[in-house]
Amino acid sequence: MTRFLTISVAVLLATALHAADDATFDDPALAQRYWGLIREIRCPLCMNESIADSGAPVAADLRREVHRLLVEGKSDDEIKDFMSSRYGDFILYRPRVTPLTYALWGGPFVLVVVGSLVFWRILRARRNQPLGEDEPS
Amino acid sequence: MWRYLIPLALFVVVAAFLLRGLNLHPNEVPSALIGKQIPEFALPTLADADAKIGSQDIAGKIALVNVWATWCIECRHEHGFLITLAKSGMPIYGLNLKDDRPAALGWLASLGNPYVASAFDADGTVALDWGVTAAPETFLIGRDGKVLFKHISPLTAQVWQHDFLPLIQAQCRASDAGCPRLTALAAR
């Protein structure tokens, strides 16, 4: 039983701590930025995993690269530029605001405005009805 | 009256998006390098650790850059076609990714060597500059040194005919400087 538990815990830890392999920093602030960045960068091979979660070899390479750039003193934006110039905007989980992504960023606000207008019109139509009567269907 | 058409209109819009989605391939991430100059690099060659191969060796002609490794099973599948291509006159450069030198040399000795030369990228740094996700990947380089196309997964005759050949022919229509002299085998 203890053996079973040990193995279970080991398996669970193994899947959760892919990124723990190569991250050592002298400066805790850098470590914090590292963990933030690798969760924002998508693994280009495995689609819906960040490079923090992914066990793919390319994810390990990218983590190593993030580590190297951080130690070199690069800013978060410079590191994201480095990644997207090689792997495209696809690699950033939070897409940048470009003409291509206007609809993506603006869409929700447009929908809220349209929804509010419809809601307002329904309310106004009901206000003109006598009390106790529902909208004629 | 018109309000009863709204659900139908919504259905048509949603159906159109879903229909489009059936034909999308989200796994084929477009390369960020298309239309850009190939990344500068200089690496030892696979055959000789003291000899160098770099971006300027590839530039100036239409060529393929193929990312391969002995640990890559799919690379074995495409190897036969690469040899066919090389025999028919297409210059192919190899980027040997995170491999073991004797194993890679043994692979070429036993399966044949389709490459003009292979660069030995021991830690994958150059592959990262090229935006490589995994082997095998094949880049088509134009004579101006710009990346024309990138194919992820094994290169097959079908992909070659469909994606690579038209791009090569388009480049070579105006002038055939730097164009591969393909025999009927690959040009068909």
Side-chain angles (χ1 to χ4, degrees):
Chain A
M1 189 60 199
T2 30
R3 193 167 159 183
F4 173 75
L5 274 178
T6 318
I7 292 172
S8 314
V9 168
V11 166
L12 286 173
L13 282 180
T15 52
L17 295 178
H18 272 311
D21 48 9
D22 41 16
T24 47
F25 292 92
D26 299 332
D27 182 359
L30 275 189
Q32 198 166 7
R33 282 174 57 208
Y34 173 80
W35 284 95
L37 274 169
I38 61 173
R39 289 200 177 94
E40 292 247 328
I41 295 172
R42 189 203 304 249
C43 165
L45 186 63
C46 21
M47 302 301 127
N48 288 323
E49 273 184 317
S50 70
I51 58 170
D53 297 327
S54 172
V58 67
D61 288 354
L62 291 178
R63 289 197 298 267
R64 195 190 62 204
E65 214 55 24
V66 170
H67 180 269
R68 182 178 70 79
L69 293 167
L70 277 173
V71 172
E72 276 178 19
K74 294 279 195 295
S75 75
D76 286 10
D77 277 339
E78 282 171 319
I79 293 174
K80 287 182 187 170
D81 281 342
F82 175 94
M83 292 297 167
S84 64
S85 69
R86 285 160 178 74
Y87 289 93
D89 284 337
F90 166 86
I91 200 163
L92 301 175
Y93 259 123
R94 235 183 296 181
R96 297 190 164 149
V97 183
T98 65
L100 203 67
T101 58
Y102 283 163
L104 192 66
W105 282 104
F109 299 104
V110 173
L111 286 180
V112 165
V113 170
V114 169
S116 311
L117 277 177
V118 170
F119 187 59
W120 179 71
R121 280 192 55 164
I122 291 173
L123 281 189
R124 214 179 50 157
R126 291 201 176 178
R127 188 183 296 163
N128 297 334
Q129 286 167 27
L131 274 178
E133 267 181 49
D134 212 334
E135 194 184 358
S137 49
Chain B
M1 174 58 212
W2 282 104
R3 65 192 308 167
Y4 297 112
L5 287 178
I6 292 175
L8 180 67
L10 279 179
F11 169 77
V12 169
V13 169
V14 171
F17 273 97
L18 292 179
L19 201 64
R20 178 84 185 91
L22 285 180
N23 294 316
L24 291 179
H25 301 280
N27 287 331
E28 291 171 13
V29 182
S31 169
L33 283 180
I34 304 291
K36 297 204 182 125
Q37 286 289 324
I38 59 171
E40 292 275 325
F41 74 93
L43 280 175
T45 64
L46 175 64
D48 178 1
D50 296 324
K52 290 272 179 202
I53 180 170
S55 24
Q56 65 273 26
D57 296 308
I58 300 170
K61 59 187 172 299
I62 296 177
L64 296 183
V65 173
N66 175 253
V67 184
W68 68 284
T70 53
W71 46 261
C72 153
I73 298 158
E74 294 289 300
C75 297
R76 192 172 273 263
H77 292 156
E78 72 172 0
H79 200 80
F81 182 66
L82 291 183
I83 288 184
T84 312
L85 265 187
K87 275 190 184 143
S88 74
M90 188 71 208
I92 308 175
Y93 290 86
L95 182 63
N96 183 242
L97 180 59
K98 292 198 259 185
D99 212 346
D100 173 56
R101 199 185 285 270
L105 288 171
W107 161 298
L108 293 182
S110 66
L111 297 175
N113 184 358
Y115 305 108
V116 180
S118 274
F120 187 68
D121 192 7
D123 58 0
T125 320
V126 169
L128 205 139
D129 283 343
W130 283 70
V132 170
T133 55
E137 286 186 10
T138 307
F139 294 83
L140 175 62
I141 317 296
R143 63 169 154 248
D144 51 1
K146 288 187 176 151
V147 178
L148 293 175
F149 188 73
K150 166 179 160 178
H151 176 70
I152 302 177
S153 77
L155 188 58
T156 60
Q158 201 185 359
V159 172
W160 174 256
Q161 303 288 345
H162 185 263
D163 295 322
F164 285 76
L165 258 192
L167 289 170
I168 296 173
Q169 282 160 349
Q171 279 236 322
C172 296
R173 206 161 288 140
S175 111
D176 62 354
C179 286
R181 293 184 192 289
L182 298 177
T183 60
L185 204 57
R188 188 176 16 173

